Amino acid sequence: QHQKTNIKSPIDGIVAEKYFDEKEYIAPGQPICRIANLDNIKITMWVTDKDLPALKKADTVATTFAAIPNKEFTGKIISIGSVANQETRTFPVEIMLANANHQIKGGMLCKVSFINARLENVIVIPRDLVLEGEYKYVFIAKNDTAILRKVSIIAAEDNKVVVEGINPEEAIISTGHKQLIDGDKINIKNKDSN
């Protein structure tokens, strides 16, 4: 039987796992190894129903791996699940990623970034300028006076936030703002002066 057996893999790849050692008995139909093709990597991420409308098949996403620092890979969405996982209430999204040099290994953990909303004509400020108390607020300069202005944060990323409640032409106080009280008199210095 052994002489008449020719074992072939249906795909090209590498042996990822062996289930038997040499000279062990193998019954017909038993798998003897697992073959992995690393030319393309399929990533499955789970997203909430809130993020689902922002994703479309064939969209590109940015992917980073902790094991491969300072490098970003671009993947393409190949499938979006229609039914949520019963336990997590999240939907599976599959991404295909080219991996010609096999830098990415099977089973590596990754971070996937995608745009879930597009905001236009908004005010973006450093997060540090937003002060918190009973509500969120910033100080604006008006006629040499610090005016407390209540704001809402509608989006955030890293150290920047998108705020509502101020106008683009208003000057936000960025130095000494944490020591101010509403109505304090301020001295505005020209940035170009020494």
Side-chain angles (χ1 to χ4, degrees):
Q1 286 179 327
H2 180 265
Q3 289 174 349
K4 293 178 182 177
T5 301
N6 186 11
I7 300 170
K8 287 184 177 178
S9 168
I11 62 166
D12 291 335
I14 60 169
V15 176
E17 191 174 358
K18 284 171 53 177
Y19 303 130
F20 291 95
D21 291 324
E22 191 175 348
K23 297 184 181 177
E24 279 192 81
Y25 175 77
I26 303 171
Q30 280 188 292
I32 60 169
C33 65
R34 183 164 61 97
I35 306 294
N37 184 325
L38 298 178
D39 293 341
N40 292 292
I41 299 290
K42 184 168 75 173
I43 297 168
T44 303
M45 71 172 178
W46 296 85
V47 299
T48 63
D49 52 359
K50 184 184 93 178
D51 289 326
L52 205 57
L55 301 171
K56 294 180 182 59
K57 199 171 174 180
D59 278 358
T60 57
V61 294
T63 310
T64 55
F65 293 82
I68 309 171
N70 305 319
K71 185 159 186 182
E72 187 176 273
F73 298 85
T74 301
K76 188 173 281 191
I77 295 175
I78 57 169
S79 166
I80 300 174
S82 300
V83 179
N85 178 294
Q86 291 298 314
E87 293 178 7
T88 63
R89 307 302 303 162
T90 54
F91 295 82
V93 176
E94 292 183 341
I95 299 158
M96 192 61 75
L97 201 61
N99 187 34
N101 60 2
H102 296 183
Q103 201 173 1
I104 304 166
K105 308 300 181 194
M108 281 184 171
L109 295 178
C110 67
K111 180 180 177 182
V112 178
S113 303
F114 59 90
I115 297 170
N116 63 355
R118 293 188 187 277
L119 302 172
E120 296 180 0
N121 301 320
V122 294
I123 298 171
V124 180
I125 63 173
R127 185 186 297 267
D128 187 51
L129 297 186
V130 179
L131 303 171
E132 294 192 33
E134 188 178 332
Y135 46 83
K136 294 177 174 41
Y137 61 94
V138 297
F139 278 103
I140 62 165
K142 187 172 184 182
N143 300 328
D144 295 330
T145 304
I147 306 294
L148 184 144
R149 180 67 58 81
K150 185 177 175 182
V151 295
S152 301
I153 296 176
I154 58 173
E157 183 177 338
D158 298 328
N159 64 345
K160 294 189 173 93
V161 291
V162 177
V163 294
E164 281 184 337
I166 53 177
N167 298 319
E169 64 275 0
E170 291 180 309
I172 300 172
I173 299 172
S174 60
T175 303
H177 60 288
K178 293 181 180 178
Q179 288 79 37
L180 291 173
I181 297 173
D182 189 28
D184 277 354
K185 290 297 178 187
I186 56 173
N187 184 8
I188 300 173
K189 292 184 179 179
N190 188 335
K191 287 183 178 180
D192 297 331
S193 66
N194 292 324

